[in-house]
PDB file of all heavy atoms in Angstrom:
ATOM      1  N   ASP A 224      90.525 116.896  63.171  1.00 93.00           N
ATOM      2  CA  ASP A 224      90.763 115.580  63.784  1.00 93.00           C
ATOM      3  C   ASP A 224      91.967 114.914  63.122  1.00 93.00           C
ATOM      4  O   ASP A 224      92.101 113.696  63.115  1.00 93.00           O
ATOM      5  CB  ASP A 224      89.514 114.685  63.721  1.00 93.00           C
ATOM      6  CG  ASP A 224      89.238 114.163  62.327  1.00 93.00           C
ATOM      7  OD1 ASP A 224      89.546 114.868  61.341  1.00 93.00           O
ATOM      8  OD2 ASP A 224      88.692 113.047  62.202  1.00 93.00           O
ATOM      9  N   GLU A 225      92.825 115.704  62.577  1.00 96.00           N
ATOM     10  CA  GLU A 225      94.105 115.300  61.981  1.00 96.00           C
ATOM     11  C   GLU A 225      95.145 116.321  62.409  1.00 96.00           C
ATOM     12  O   GLU A 225      94.800 117.425  62.835  1.00 96.00           O
ATOM     13  CB  GLU A 225      94.025 115.287  60.445  1.00 96.00           C
ATOM     14  CG  GLU A 225      92.808 114.630  59.844  1.00 96.00           C
ATOM     15  CD  GLU A 225      92.949 113.119  59.735  1.00 96.00           C
ATOM     16  OE1 GLU A 225      94.012 112.599  60.125  1.00 96.00           O
ATOM     17  OE2 GLU A 225      92.010 112.483  59.254  1.00 96.00           O
ATOM     18  N   ALA A 226      96.418 115.987  62.279  1.00 97.00           N
ATOM     19  CA  ALA A 226      97.453 116.987  62.488  1.00 97.00           C
ATOM     20  C   ALA A 226      97.385 117.995  61.343  1.00 97.00           C
ATOM     21  O   ALA A 226      97.143 117.637  60.200  1.00 97.00           O
ATOM     22  CB  ALA A 226      98.831 116.334  62.542  1.00 97.00           C
ATOM     23  N   SER A 227      97.571 119.265  61.680  1.00 97.00           N
ATOM     24  CA  SER A 227      97.396 120.353  60.713  1.00 97.00           C
ATOM     25  C   SER A 227      98.679 121.160  60.553  1.00 97.00           C
ATOM     26  O   SER A 227      99.444 121.341  61.504  1.00 97.00           O
ATOM     27  CB  SER A 227      96.263 121.266  61.190  1.00 97.00           C
ATOM     28  OG  SER A 227      96.257 122.484  60.485  1.00 97.00           O
ATOM     29  N   LEU A 228      98.872 121.679  59.342  1.00 98.00           N
ATOM     30  CA  LEU A 228     100.012 122.554  59.065  1.00 98.00           C
ATOM     31  C   LEU A 228      99.722 124.003  59.431  1.00 98.00           C
ATOM     32  O   LEU A 228     100.594 124.851  59.332  1.00 98.00           O
ATOM     33  CB  LEU A 228     100.371 122.483  57.576  1.00 98.00           C
ATOM     34  CG  LEU A 228     100.812 121.125  57.036  1.00 98.00           C
ATOM     35  CD1 LEU A 228     100.909 121.165  55.524  1.00 98.00           C
ATOM     36  CD2 LEU A 228     102.145 120.708  57.647  1.00 98.00           C
ATOM     37  N   ALA A 229      98.475 124.281  59.875  1.00 98.00           N
ATOM     38  CA  ALA A 229      98.057 125.666  60.094  1.00 98.00           C
ATOM     39  C   ALA A 229      98.617 126.286  61.372  1.00 98.00           C
ATOM     40  O   ALA A 229      98.534 127.499  61.546  1.00 98.00           O
ATOM     41  CB  ALA A 229      96.534 125.752  60.098  1.00 98.00           C
ATOM     42  N   GLY A 230      99.165 125.461  62.269  1.00 98.00           N
ATOM     43  CA  GLY A 230      99.693 126.012  63.521  1.00 98.00           C
ATOM     44  C   GLY A 230      99.923 124.943  64.556  1.00 98.00           C
ATOM     45  O   GLY A 230     100.412 123.856  64.233  1.00 98.00           O
ATOM     46  N   GLU A 231      99.540 125.209  65.784  1.00 98.00           N
ATOM     47  CA  GLU A 231      99.835 124.310  66.901  1.00 98.00           C
ATOM     48  C   GLU A 231      98.904 123.098  66.918  1.00 98.00           C
ATOM     49  O   GLU A 231      97.686 123.220  66.803  1.00 98.00           O
ATOM     50  CB  GLU A 231      99.729 125.064  68.224  1.00 98.00           C
ATOM     51  CG  GLU A 231     100.804 126.121  68.406  1.00 98.00           C
ATOM     52  CD  GLU A 231     100.711 126.833  69.737  1.00 98.00           C
ATOM     53  OE1 GLU A 231      99.599 126.865  70.314  1.00 98.00           O
ATOM     54  OE2 GLU A 231     101.745 127.348  70.215  1.00 98.00           O
ATOM     55  N   ASN A 232      99.514 121.925  67.077  1.00 98.00           N
ATOM     56  CA  ASN A 232      98.792 120.669  67.216  1.00 98.00           C
ATOM     57  C   ASN A 232      98.981 120.175  68.643  1.00 98.00           C
ATOM     58  O   ASN A 232     100.087 120.208  69.181  1.00 98.00           O
ATOM     59  CB  ASN A 232      99.338 119.633  66.230  1.00 98.00           C
ATOM     60  CG  ASN A 232      99.155 120.055  64.791  1.00 98.00           C
ATOM     61  OD1 ASN A 232      98.110 119.846  64.200  1.00 98.00           O
ATOM     62  ND2 ASN A 232     100.196 120.659  64.207  1.00 98.00           N
ATOM     63  N   TYR A 233      97.903 119.706  69.250  1.00 98.00           N
ATOM     64  CA  TYR A 233      97.930 119.275  70.647  1.00 98.00           C
ATOM     65  C   TYR A 233      97.915 117.758  70.719  1.00 98.00           C
ATOM     66  O   TYR A 233      96.996 117.122  70.200  1.00 98.00           O
ATOM     67  CB  TYR A 233      96.747 119.883  71.396  1.00 98.00           C
ATOM     68  CG  TYR A 233      96.802 121.392  71.423  1.00 98.00           C
ATOM     69  CD1 TYR A 233      96.233 122.136  70.393  1.00 98.00           C
ATOM     70  CD2 TYR A 233      97.459 122.070  72.445  1.00 98.00           C
ATOM     71  CE1 TYR A 233      96.304 123.525  70.386  1.00 98.00           C
ATOM     72  CE2 TYR A 233      97.539 123.450  72.455  1.00 98.00           C
ATOM     73  CZ  TYR A 233      96.964 124.170  71.413  1.00 98.00           C
ATOM     74  OH  TYR A 233      97.057 125.553  71.413  1.00 98.00           O
ATOM     75  N   LEU A 234      98.941 117.196  71.355  1.00 98.00           N
ATOM     76  CA  LEU A 234      99.117 115.749  71.395  1.00 98.00           C
ATOM     77  C   LEU A 234      99.119 115.238  72.838  1.00 98.00           C
ATOM     78  O   LEU A 234      99.728 115.854  73.716  1.00 98.00           O
ATOM     79  CB  LEU A 234     100.443 115.341  70.746  1.00 98.00           C
ATOM     80  CG  LEU A 234     100.553 115.270  69.224  1.00 98.00           C
ATOM     81  CD1 LEU A 234     100.265 116.610  68.563  1.00 98.00           C
ATOM     82  CD2 LEU A 234     101.946 114.776  68.819  1.00 98.00           C
ATOM     83  N   ALA A 235      98.420 114.121  73.058  1.00 98.00           N
ATOM     84  CA  ALA A 235      98.554 113.355  74.298  1.00 98.00           C
ATOM     85  C   ALA A 235      99.261 112.065  73.911  1.00 98.00           C
ATOM     86  O   ALA A 235      98.752 111.301  73.085  1.00 98.00           O
ATOM     87  CB  ALA A 235      97.191 113.067  74.921  1.00 98.00           C
TER      88      ALA A 235
END
Side-chain angles (χ1 to χ4, degrees):
D224 73 328
E225 314 277 359
S227 166
L228 298 171
E231 293 182 336
N232 298 275
Y233 298 88
L234 281 60

